[in-house]
Amino acid sequence: MGTDVLVIGGGNAALCAALMAAEAGASVLLLEAAPRELRGGNSAHTRNLRCMHDAPQDVLVDAYPEEEYWQDLLKVTGGRTSEPLARLVIRASSTCRGWMQRHGVRFQPPLSGALHVARTNAFFMGGGKALVNAYFRSAERLGVRIRYQAPVQRIELQDGRFVAAWVGDERITAKACVLAAGGFESNREWLREAWGRNERGEWPADNFLIRGTRFNQGTLLRHLIEEHRADAIGDPTQAHMVAIDARAPLYDGGICTRIDCVSLSVVVNREARRFYDEGEDFWPKRYAIWGRLVAQQPGQTAWSVIDAKAVGRFMPPVFPGVVAHSLPELARRLGLDETAFMQTLNDYNRACRRDHAGHFDHTVLDDCRTEGLAPVKSHWARPIDTAPFYGYALRPGVTFTYLGLRTDETAAVRFGGQPSANLFVAGEMMAGNVLGQGYTAGVGMSIGTAFGRIAGTRAAAAAAAARGREVQHALA
Ligand SMILES: Cc1cc2nc3c(=O)[nH]c(=O)nc-3n(C[C@H](O)[C@H](O)[C@H](O)COP(=O)(O)OP(=O)(O)OC[C@H]3O[C@@H](n4cnc5c(N)ncnc54)[C@H](O)[C@@H]3O)c2cc1C
């Protein structure tokens, strides 16, 4: 007898699906493109899960009710979200931790200090790597067969039903299938094509760095949309994009390459001009817009500049900043035009309301704002005047793309509006249903966990129904 459920992918969404299908009694085969040592996709880079809760719970303080979570999502997506699917994710985030713990995931209190997420996000002990390792161990215990270095290039469908997947020349059949193979963020040609050429004649995507795995090439996403005409959702240029250290590696730089001092800094472009309100909101609510902002600047580079007063108030980056003992020296060391840089910094320093400087508090939306400056700096605006000064070069770091397969509360892939009976999708491959734009920390794992679990359960049920049909056929 062949496999009941085939799961394609090896990250959080795939593993949640595989575990749920196995728990429902299905035989499961999981195909992961990466070798064993690089397994786990972008999920291996994660740290936390955004969780709704109405009262303090284990590692979560206070309360984070459904409505507040929904409003946060609505705000960052600017309404480009499906409310029913978003609410499904939000509600699921309140009940999944017990199940996760039964599969070996451990949570820890959030790190103290720079992040404002003790209320909203549950942190994985050992990070995403420990989470995926725990899930792989649990999956093996439940009899899930796992094959590494098994990239699926295409699938075979019949009237919208999954029939088989192809890994090279090998044809693998199953009664149902879950697609959880991530976005297309590591496919540089596709990013280039999506972003095109700008008015300066640049190809912006050539300067993007990929924060996560190199294996999310979007092969199946493209195959499903272009060859099987699956219903798609989202814009290929929308993605979770963070401003990261320009010295980060092309792939797998992970969390530590993020530059977290932006909200305490002044950010200038290659012309040494400011271009956005650095203090618009707390960093966890804003970090994912900065990659895109930098992508729109000449050369897709910007520089975040702080002084000694900011040190110790943000998560220190992995690479040391460029240090100088005066602002003109910093401009020279960063390769920026000194006159333009000093004009920007002097204008900014003059615009900081000195009478409010005593009210500076980076843990609240304080009243330190600039006056008469465009763009404004809304909070945490203090003059940059205390040596030593530090500068960090920034580049857009793509976390994951939002173009995906359209789905519904059953996680079914849809063709011409019709849900497939045995093909399901989860994680980044469908995140665009909830995230049309923007991001708020921890939602990626909420989406993958909610939809991975639904997809696995539905796939097991579809396989059981197919088994039932086989038995009836044999008896007839
Ligand atoms: C640095 C970083 C930090 C992050 N931090 C957080 C966080 O703290 N909280 C949060 O919620 N989100 C975070 N995210 C986003 C989060 O990683 C994703 O939203 C989530 O992990 C997506 O899970 P997934 O299973 O859909 O994809 P992935 O985890 O990327 O898994 C996709 C899998 O598919 C495999 N694959 C790809 N193509 C094929 C193919 N053709 N055949 C077979 N296998 C294939 C890949 O090898 C990979 O194993 C972070 C991302 C990065 C890069």
Side-chain angles (χ1 to χ4, degrees):
M1 203 148 123
T3 302
D4 287 332
V5 175
L6 184 70
V7 176
I8 304 176
N12 174 58
L15 289 159
C16 286
L19 288 167
M20 289 299 277
E23 281 182 332
S27 65
V28 183
L29 172 63
L30 181 144
L31 302 175
E32 156 69 301
R36 190 181 187 285
E37 62 276 17
L38 295 176
R39 69 184 182 182
N42 285 349
S43 303
H45 283 291
T46 64
R47 291 184 304 168
N48 59 55
L49 173 82
R50 183 166 284 253
C51 294
M52 157 194 159
H53 56 108
D54 289 324
Q57 276 183 11
D58 51 74
V59 293
L60 297 162
V61 301
D62 208 344
Y64 187 48
E66 175 176 341
E67 204 49 35
E68 190 183 346
Y69 194 149
W70 162 240
Q71 289 301 330
D72 283 345
L73 201 55
L74 194 60
K75 193 166 163 198
V76 294
T77 57
R80 292 172 77 171
T81 178
S82 150
E83 183 166 352
L85 299 191
R87 286 195 185 269
L88 180 157
V89 167
I90 292 169
R91 288 176 197 146
S93 76
S94 69
T95 53
C96 60
R97 290 204 313 291
W99 178 85
M100 293 171 72
Q101 279 163 334
R102 285 199 294 285
H103 288 291
V105 177
R106 299 284 170 262
F107 292 93
Q108 65 168 55
L111 301 174
S112 63
L115 290 171
H116 310 264
V117 283
R119 191 169 66 85
T120 52
N121 291 48
F123 279 68
F124 314 129
M125 180 83 78
K129 188 76 180 165
L131 172 135
V132 295
N133 284 344
Y135 278 164
F136 272 113
R137 270 196 301 275
S138 196
E140 280 164 0
R141 269 199 301 272
L142 286 171
V144 174
R145 285 169 297 141
I146 296 160
R147 280 183 52 189
Y148 298 103
Q149 292 177 290
V152 177
Q153 282 96 23
R154 62 195 169 92
I155 64 168
E156 244 179 82
L157 296 174
Q158 204 171 30
D159 303 326
R161 285 186 72 91
F162 172 83
V163 178
W166 287 81
V167 178
D169 293 336
E170 188 186 357
R171 182 173 183 265
I172 301 167
T173 58
K175 295 186 178 63
C177 176
V178 176
L179 301 170
F184 68 89
E185 60 278 353
S186 49
N187 186 329
R188 300 186 61 77
E189 291 73 37
W190 193 349
L191 289 177
R192 194 174 208 256
E193 188 187 304
W195 278 78
R197 212 167 181 178
N198 66 17
E199 65 288 354
R200 288 182 289 269
E202 302 162 330
W203 294 88
D206 289 356
N207 283 320
F208 294 177
L209 300 168
I210 317 304
R211 301 178 70 215
T213 181
R214 71 194 59 210
F215 294 96
N216 287 354
Q217 293 286 334
T219 311
L220 288 179
L221 189 58
R222 184 157 238 174
H223 172 64
L224 262 292
I225 295 171
E226 291 183 359
E227 282 157 62
H228 289 303
R229 303 275 163 222
D231 296 349
I233 188 159
D235 161 357
T237 69
Q238 287 295 341
H240 177 292
M241 282 173 79
V242 181
I244 64 170
D245 196 300
R247 296 162 290 184
L250 179 53
Y251 294 107
D252 280 313
I255 290 278
C256 64
T257 63
R258 213 168 69 189
I259 300 294
D260 279 359
C261 58
V262 166
S263 52
L264 302 172
S265 77
V266 157
V267 179
V268 296
N269 65 13
R270 199 170 63 187
E271 281 137 22
R273 293 214 171 84
R274 288 178 65 244
F275 50 89
Y276 198 79
D277 178 0
E278 303 89 343
E280 187 179 38
D281 206 339
F282 290 117
W283 185 234
K285 291 191 185 174
R286 284 294 171 271
Y287 71 89
I289 69 169
W290 275 88
R292 219 176 164 72
L293 291 168
V294 174
Q296 283 150 5
Q297 300 309 308
Q300 295 72 54
T301 312
W303 287 263
S304 178
V305 173
I306 55 168
D307 68 1
K309 300 196 295 299
V311 174
R313 298 182 193 276
F314 61 94
M315 201 74 82
V318 69
F319 303 112
V322 170
V323 194
H325 292 281
S326 72
L327 285 170
E329 182 196 348
L330 187 67
R332 289 193 297 276
R333 299 204 58 198
L334 296 178
L336 295 169
D337 180 86
E338 191 181 317
T339 312
F341 183 82
M342 287 314 299
Q343 168 100 45
T344 298
L345 268 289
N346 288 335
D347 286 352
Y348 166 78
N349 283 348
R350 268 194 301 272
C352 294
R353 287 182 51 177
R354 281 168 197 279
D355 51 329
H356 279 183
H359 300 162
F360 171 83
D361 183 350
H362 73 295
T363 65
V364 297
L365 293 171
D366 70 7
D367 58 4
C368 290
R369 70 192 315 272
T370 57
E371 262 176 11
L373 189 71
V376 68
K377 182 169 178 187
S378 307
H379 304 98
W380 315 298
R382 289 197 295 181
I384 300 212
D385 58 4
T386 309
F389 301 95
Y390 301 85
Y392 297 90
L394 308 172
R395 280 233 187 265
V398 190
T399 317
F400 65 99
T401 47
Y402 293 174
L403 173 74
L405 301 180
R406 191 181 283 276
T407 190
D408 54 28
E409 68 292 345
T410 69
V413 177
R414 302 171 73 92
F415 299 91
Q418 293 305 310
S420 170
N422 70 346
L423 182 64
F424 303 90
V425 63
E428 283 173 4
M429 268 187 106
M430 49 64 63
N433 289 274
V434 178
L435 289 169
Q437 66 174 46
Y439 190 73
T440 181
V443 171
M445 293 297 275
S446 308
I447 296 171
T449 306
F451 274 91
R453 296 184 63 199
I454 294 170
T457 308
R458 294 274 176 170
R467 261 201 319 264
R469 279 196 300 276
E470 276 177 6
V471 171
Q472 273 180 352
H473 189 70
L475 293 176

